[in-house]
Amino acid sequence: MRLALPHWAGTLAVKAAVFITVMCCALAALLGVLVHVSVSDQIVGQARDLALSRLGDATESFEAGDTLTPGVGVDPPGLPDRLRTLAAGGERGTMVADHRGRPTMWAAGPVDGGRALAVRVDYAQGRRTIVGLDRAIVWSSALAIGATLLVGAFAVTRVTRRLHATAQVARRISAGDLDARVDDSRTKDPSRPQDEVAAVAAALDSMAGSLQGKLLSEQRFTADVAHELRTPLTGLHAAAELLPPGRPTELVLDRVAALRTLTEDLLEISRLDTGRELLEVDTEELGALAERVVRASGTDTEVVVERDARVETDRRRLERVLGNLVANAHRHGRAPVSVTVRGGEVVVRDHGDGFPEYLLAHGPQRFRTEGGARGHGLGLTIAAGQAEVLGARLEFANSVDGGAVATLTLG
């Protein structure tokens, strides 16, 4: 099972801090060990040389029959057994061991009778030097790691702050704010060295500019086409009404009406795309408004008011949203269709095949339908756009027992 880490553990700053800390600790440990071993070997070597030198002098004095000096003795008490055995075997050696609670450097060599002549040298100063050195290594390493972390945190924070700003701009662009730009100062001055963050910022700004240009071009094209179609369609409708009554005339009038509806939908979408729609806010009863929308649709739709609510909203836009949802439920779903009011929430439900996967994943897309469905795919697009203007949340889902469910949540 993979260990679940907290969200903050995935940030670049934390990863950089962990990496710097691990590397500093490893480097400090390596240097500390090298210094410790080098200095310890030097101190121990000096103490060993001194002990062996005194052992040589003591051996000469012992062989000459002179009195032994303090710290020198034959098989003295406290001599380490390993060193005593070594000397009894005819070899010289040294060893550090505690003697009466103090660190002592022993040197021993053989004398007549298989005995050991030993010299002890006080090793307390050398031990204190090594302990002090180790303490200094620990403190200096901790200070160096702290200073490195501070400098590294400052450097990484500057980078992560720029990355956060770039990510925030990317989220704003994704939310529809196409005027958002990073505007990194480094990208505006070619003489300054360009790092990777500046390159990402420049690429994001370039992409946003290109995307904005294409969307504006598409919006202008949609608006221009809709405006250009209105005049000939008006003339076509007037001419069709002059035709003699009959089935062909009814078909022509029906298709002209469909074209006029499509043109009005395109004009409404172009207005929504500009993002400059103004609200006419008033207080409305949701239950009564839903019943009016159903009556105006002329469809067999059940209205259920579980909990009515008064909301501050734009009546015309809200009626447009609910009307499109009801029309879509009848056109692409199956009966029974219901509109349920639960406080500030309105649910439109049918019992058809449900919404297609692309719509659940990405929301309504204009001029896209699937499964042989009729229509131009504009109704839900307009509903979503008007809901956004209202500041409402429109969600699409499929019921577990079949059918599409559209939920509009106000305020």
Side-chain angles (χ1 to χ4, degrees):
M1 175 182 284
R2 185 176 181 180
L3 181 63
L5 297 175
H7 291 294
W8 55 263
T11 61
L12 180 61
V14 172
K15 291 180 179 178
V18 171
F19 176 77
I20 292 174
T21 302
V22 170
M23 293 304 297
C24 286
C25 290
L27 183 60
L30 177 61
L31 292 177
V33 168
L34 291 176
V35 173
H36 172 82
V37 170
S38 177
V39 175
S40 297
D41 287 347
Q42 183 179 2
I43 293 175
V44 171
Q46 291 175 350
R48 181 183 295 114
D49 291 343
L50 177 60
L52 289 174
S53 175
R54 289 185 179 180
L55 178 62
D57 295 340
T59 302
E60 292 178 359
S61 298
F62 180 81
E63 292 175 351
D66 297 337
T67 303
L68 298 179
T69 60
V72 180
V74 177
D75 291 332
L79 179 65
D81 293 337
R82 289 176 55 192
L83 190 58
R84 187 189 303 275
T85 302
L86 180 69
E91 297 183 10
R92 287 187 174 190
T94 59
M95 179 178 293
V96 177
D98 287 341
H99 178 65
R100 297 178 181 176
R102 293 180 64 83
T104 302
M105 172 65 74
W106 289 93
V111 292
D112 296 338
R115 294 178 298 171
L117 177 65
V119 175
R120 65 175 184 271
V121 177
D122 187 30
Y123 188 66
Q125 182 61 38
R127 177 70 61 83
R128 285 194 295 270
T129 301
I130 294 176
V131 171
L133 174 66
D134 291 343
R135 188 180 297 112
I137 290 175
V138 171
W139 281 107
S140 61
S141 298
L143 183 61
I145 291 172
T148 304
L149 274 177
L150 289 176
V151 174
F154 175 74
V156 172
T157 301
R158 293 187 62 186
V159 175
T160 55
R161 187 164 53 243
R162 293 167 60 199
L163 287 175
H164 282 307
T166 303
Q168 187 176 16
V169 170
R171 285 191 289 267
R172 288 172 55 192
I173 294 173
S174 177
D177 184 6
L178 299 181
D179 292 323
R181 297 292 185 274
V182 180
D183 285 333
D184 195 317
S185 59
R186 291 168 178 78
T187 63
K188 299 178 180 180
D189 187 1
S191 62
R192 298 182 64 180
Q194 304 293 307
D195 58 9
E196 288 78 2
V197 180
V200 171
L204 180 62
D205 287 347
S206 176
M207 181 199 70
S210 176
L211 179 62
Q212 184 178 36
K214 291 179 180 179
L215 290 179
L216 290 177
S217 177
E218 179 185 338
Q219 293 171 8
R220 285 194 299 268
F221 175 76
T222 302
D224 292 344
V225 167
H227 280 292
E228 293 297 327
L229 285 175
R230 294 185 79 180
T231 301
L233 281 176
T234 301
L236 184 59
H237 181 74
E241 289 183 338
L242 298 177
L243 295 175
R247 182 58 179 166
T249 300
E250 292 178 0
L251 292 176
V252 171
L253 288 173
D254 179 69
R255 293 299 88 195
V256 170
L259 282 174
R260 292 186 67 179
T261 300
L262 173 60
T263 302
E264 294 301 325
D265 287 347
L266 288 174
L267 284 172
E268 185 169 358
I269 286 178
S270 67
R271 289 194 297 269
L272 291 172
D273 284 341
T274 61
R276 296 184 178 87
E277 293 286 86
L278 299 178
L279 292 176
E280 297 179 3
V281 179
D282 199 359
T283 303
E284 299 288 338
E285 296 278 353
L286 268 185
L289 188 144
E291 291 175 351
R292 287 200 308 269
V293 169
V294 169
R295 284 197 303 268
S297 69
T299 59
D300 183 15
T301 303
E302 179 186 11
V303 178
V304 179
V305 181
E306 295 183 358
R307 188 173 71 258
D308 206 353
R310 294 177 63 85
V311 295
E312 296 286 334
T313 187
D314 188 319
R315 178 183 58 81
R316 180 184 67 82
R317 296 184 189 279
L318 183 56
E319 289 179 347
R320 178 67 159 151
V321 173
L322 295 181
N324 282 14
L325 294 178
V326 171
N328 184 81
H330 282 280
R331 183 178 298 114
H332 301 293
R334 285 193 296 270
V337 176
S338 63
V339 177
T340 305
V341 178
R342 300 190 186 102
E345 182 180 271
V346 183
V347 180
V348 180
R349 162 81 188 279
D350 66 57
H351 290 76
D353 297 329
F355 291 117
E357 290 299 326
Y358 82 86
L359 190 145
L360 296 178
H362 307 290
Q365 299 178 24
R366 62 190 69 176
F367 297 112
R368 179 171 179 177
T369 55
E370 287 189 357
R374 297 182 303 164
H376 300 284
L378 298 180
L380 293 183
T381 303
I382 292 174
Q386 293 288 14
E388 184 177 354
V389 174
L390 290 172
R393 185 173 70 255
L394 181 57
E395 299 173 318
F396 302 95
N398 290 330
S399 178
V400 293
D401 56 347
V405 180
T407 304
L408 179 69
T409 305
L410 297 167

